[in-house]
Amino acid sequence: MKTYLSYICLPIIFLMACASEAVAPEMGALDVKVTIGPLCPVEPCNKTIEELKSIYASYSLVLTNSDSKAIVLDQKLTYNGTNGLIKSTNIAVGQYEMSIKPENIFTKRGFPKTIIIEKNKTASLEIEVDTGIR
């Protein structure tokens, strides 16, 4: 009798365990380099490192799923000494639209950009943001 119950219970437990496992989505990464300028109406432009960090941190990139229109990433730029960077891993494979905030007549040029994230690959992009300062 005990063996008969184990033949019935074990497959049921196994099926329940398999049914509760979630399938992990395929993932990729995004690496964006952003240059913002001009920063001054005349050269030379003598901004301090803190001013440059503040300027770059005032911009953020927004990644939206092309199908669902859900925002996947909304991240501020970080200044690395020469330009702004965004590095993001664990983005589900798919097609996305990238836009920049704040939006104005100058930053709208060229946006939204279509980005395709592929499995186990890093999508790299270089963006130039025109501030309109002349």
Side-chain angles (χ1 to χ4, degrees):
M1 181 73 169
K2 289 181 185 179
T3 12
Y4 180 70
L5 286 175
S6 64
Y7 286 126
I8 294 174
C9 292
L10 285 176
I12 292 173
I13 292 170
F14 177 76
L15 288 174
M16 288 172 53
C18 290
S20 65
E21 283 186 35
V23 176
E26 296 176 336
M27 305 302 259
L30 179 65
D31 189 358
V32 183
K33 176 180 155 184
V34 181
T35 304
I36 299 174
L39 299 176
C40 299
V42 294
E43 293 294 329
C45 186
N46 296 318
K47 300 277 187 194
T48 66
I49 296 294
E50 291 306 313
E51 289 173 317
L52 292 170
K53 284 181 182 179
S54 177
I55 290 168
Y56 276 87
S58 68
Y59 288 88
S60 60
L61 291 178
V62 180
L63 199 62
T64 308
N65 185 296
S66 292
D67 296 329
S68 68
K69 302 299 180 200
I71 295 175
V72 175
L73 178 73
D74 186 347
Q75 186 174 338
K76 290 191 176 292
L77 297 176
T78 55
Y79 183 67
N80 73 347
T82 54
N83 42 29
L85 296 175
I86 287 191
K87 292 182 183 269
S88 183
T89 57
N90 297 327
I91 298 175
V93 169
Q95 183 171 319
Y96 298 91
E97 289 181 357
M98 178 182 287
S99 58
I100 194 160
K101 291 191 313 189
E103 235 180 42
N104 60 40
I105 192 168
F106 297 105
T107 59
K108 281 183 121 176
R109 276 190 245 159
F111 286 98
K113 292 188 180 296
T114 300
I115 307 290
I116 296 176
I117 303 294
E118 298 179 64
K119 181 180 179 183
N120 298 326
K121 292 186 179 179
T122 300
S124 297
L125 189 63
E126 290 188 24
I127 297 173
E128 291 186 19
V129 175
D130 186 351
T131 60
I133 298 173
R134 303 282 187 262

